[in-house]
Amino acid sequence: MKALLEVRDLRVSFGATEVLDGIDFDVYEGEVLAIVGESGSGKSVTALSMMRLLGESAEITSGSLRFSGRDLLELSEDEMRKVRGREIAMIFQEPMSSLNPVYTAGFQVAEVLEEHFGYSRKAALEKARELFEMVGIPAPEERLRSYPHELSGGMRQRVMIAMAMASEPKLLVADEPTTALDVTIQAQILALMKDVRSRFGTSVLFITHDMGVVASIADRMLVMYAGQIVEEGSVESLFESPRHPYTQRLLACAPSIGERKERLSVIEGFAPSPDAYPGGCRFHPRCSEAIERCSAEPPRLVRGVRCWVAEDS
Ligand SMILES: Nc1ncnc2c1ncn2[C@@H]1O[C@H](COP(=O)(O)OP(=O)(O)OP(=O)(O)O)[C@@H](O)[C@H]1O
Ligand SMILES: [Mg+2]
């Protein structure tokens, strides 16, 4: 399989605090790659790094993000804006925060087409109507003229997906796009994302807490813990035989799709804070399998797993 995006040794700090500690992964062409892990493990920071949307207080201290042969970290702000408009699109958990409340939904989708693809206003609105239809927005003609606050959460998320697909991006980054939605709508949005992937061959980087969602949409998954990848592999193999004790626990306490269980609270102990990550393996204080070596020496990611115990077995 061909890699569309190659992330190598990505390190991100906020001030003196390092929150991503050398992230390495590939996104292959046409695949859905899920990133899972507890709150604060670095999923969103990873996604925002790809878009170079981390904000002023963050610093990418090392690494490379090779996308279609270029390192995104070396592009000028202008070049990066083009990449965001036409090659990588992102959708968020709360679409209200990325839709502009003062413009109609149709205008905002049309604007992408005008700005990045030179459509006339008329052609852009026509294309926007087609996109609304494609993402299953009923009465698309009228919805073009709706303002974001006039739409339900599910409809706003569809508008976001339409806007993201307007540019036919090679990569769609979705940060918990269904978490705020109720179960039925969630299932519809997942079905829509699968449809988008098969229709355009778009690669998707999908961030979620929900293992049910992973099972339903992803081909491969990365498990993050405390700013590191602790395990990676195909969804099939990780669900069948997870090797890292953290992945094992994550799967053991996974609610089924959409279930509103308190998320991952079943894993004992607290997620450590980035300014005080434990030495050795960062998971060792919470790990029932830990041996002496685990508190002394940090394990590396070897053949898909970062664990002294799993590596030896
Ligand atoms: N703007 C910021 N300033 C300082 N620290 C930040 C900032 N954004 C994120 N962090 C820290 O970086 C770490 C990773 O955060 P991130 O948002 O990536 O977690 P996450 O895995 O997406 O969690 P969640 O599941 O809650 O969305 C956390 O410790 C967080 O507190
Ligand atoms: Mg997040």
Side-chain angles (χ1 to χ4, degrees):
M1 261 183 298
K2 221 172 136 215
L4 173 66
L5 173 70
E6 296 170 343
V7 178
R8 293 294 175 271
D9 192 38
L10 179 64
R11 289 171 191 276
V12 174
S13 296
F14 290 99
T17 306
E18 187 176 76
V19 299
L20 288 189
D21 174 35
I23 301 294
D24 292 286
F25 67 90
D26 290 348
V27 182
Y28 298 125
E29 284 181 357
E31 80 166 341
V32 179
L33 176 66
I35 304 185
V36 304
E38 272 171 320
S39 194
S41 57
K43 305 180 299 295
S44 295
V45 170
T46 302
L48 290 168
S49 304
M50 332 266 77
M51 301 296 283
R52 286 202 10 210
L53 288 175
L54 272 173
E56 296 282 291
S57 57
E59 193 192 348
I60 298 182
T61 54
S62 89
S64 64
L65 301 171
R66 284 203 87 70
F67 179 78
S68 297
R70 294 158 302 174
D71 185 352
L72 297 179
L73 298 181
E74 282 167 9
L75 300 184
S76 68
E77 194 40 53
D78 244 19
E79 292 169 317
M80 193 58 211
R81 204 167 305 124
K82 282 192 192 124
V83 169
R84 272 185 229 121
R86 352 177 24 145
E87 294 181 85
I88 308 181
M90 184 158 179
I91 55 179
F92 300 89
Q93 176 171 347
E94 188 24 83
M96 206 54 195
S97 60
S98 26
L99 288 170
N100 190 329
V102 307
Y103 296 115
T104 62
F107 175 84
Q108 295 183 59
V109 177
E111 205 186 25
V112 175
L113 295 160
E114 288 173 47
E115 185 180 331
H116 293 285
F117 297 91
Y119 278 62
S120 67
R121 170 61 50 88
K122 188 162 175 288
L125 280 169
E126 175 50 31
K127 174 85 177 175
R129 198 194 56 76
E130 278 170 29
L131 286 161
F132 276 25
E133 209 167 282
M134 184 194 96
V135 299
I137 296 177
E141 197 76 51
E142 285 147 51
R143 290 292 82 80
L144 287 175
R145 293 189 292 273
S146 300
Y147 289 89
H149 72 268
E150 299 173 315
L151 302 168
S152 67
M155 283 304 141
R156 287 201 285 263
Q157 202 52 287
R158 284 173 199 266
V159 170
M160 277 307 297
I161 295 174
M163 198 174 344
M165 296 323 292
S167 55
E168 298 187 14
K170 295 191 188 118
L171 176 63
L172 180 62
V173 179
D175 192 351
E176 311 229 24
T178 61
T179 308
L181 305 172
D182 75 47
V183 180
T184 340
I185 310 292
Q186 196 175 345
Q188 290 170 4
I189 297 288
L190 287 176
L192 170 61
M193 298 207 41
K194 284 194 235 183
D195 182 49
V196 158
R197 186 265 288 262
S198 58
R199 214 186 282 211
F200 299 103
T202 313
S203 305
V204 183
L205 186 67
F206 197 103
I207 294 173
T208 179
H209 280 87
D210 190 328
M211 291 301 194
V213 169
V214 174
S216 109
I217 197 171
D219 303 303
R220 286 194 310 132
M221 63 195 267
L222 306 176
V223 182
M224 288 190 70
Y225 185 81
Q228 300 175 325
I229 293 172
V230 296
E231 187 161 11
E232 65 173 313
S234 71
V235 168
E236 212 176 60
S237 67
L238 263 69
F239 273 61
E240 184 99 341
S241 45
R243 295 167 66 209
H244 198 288
Y246 178 66
T247 315
Q248 291 167 358
R249 301 279 275 291
L250 213 52
L251 286 162
C253 23
S256 57
I257 190 163
E259 213 181 307
R260 295 269 162 214
K261 198 147 89 177
E262 196 39 54
R263 307 194 293 194
L264 310 184
S265 59
V266 221
I267 298 183
E268 312 84 78
F270 293 101
S273 154
D275 43 35
Y277 281 145
C281 168
R282 291 178 177 182
F283 187 58
H284 87 264
R286 300 170 78 186
C287 183
S288 54
E289 317 280 314
I291 53 174
E292 213 164 293
R293 190 176 191 185
C294 302
S295 54
E297 241 184 296
R300 288 181 307 124
L301 190 66
V302 176
R303 282 180 306 268
V305 65
R306 186 189 293 278
C307 174
W308 291 124
V309 178
E311 207 184 302
D312 288 340
S313 60

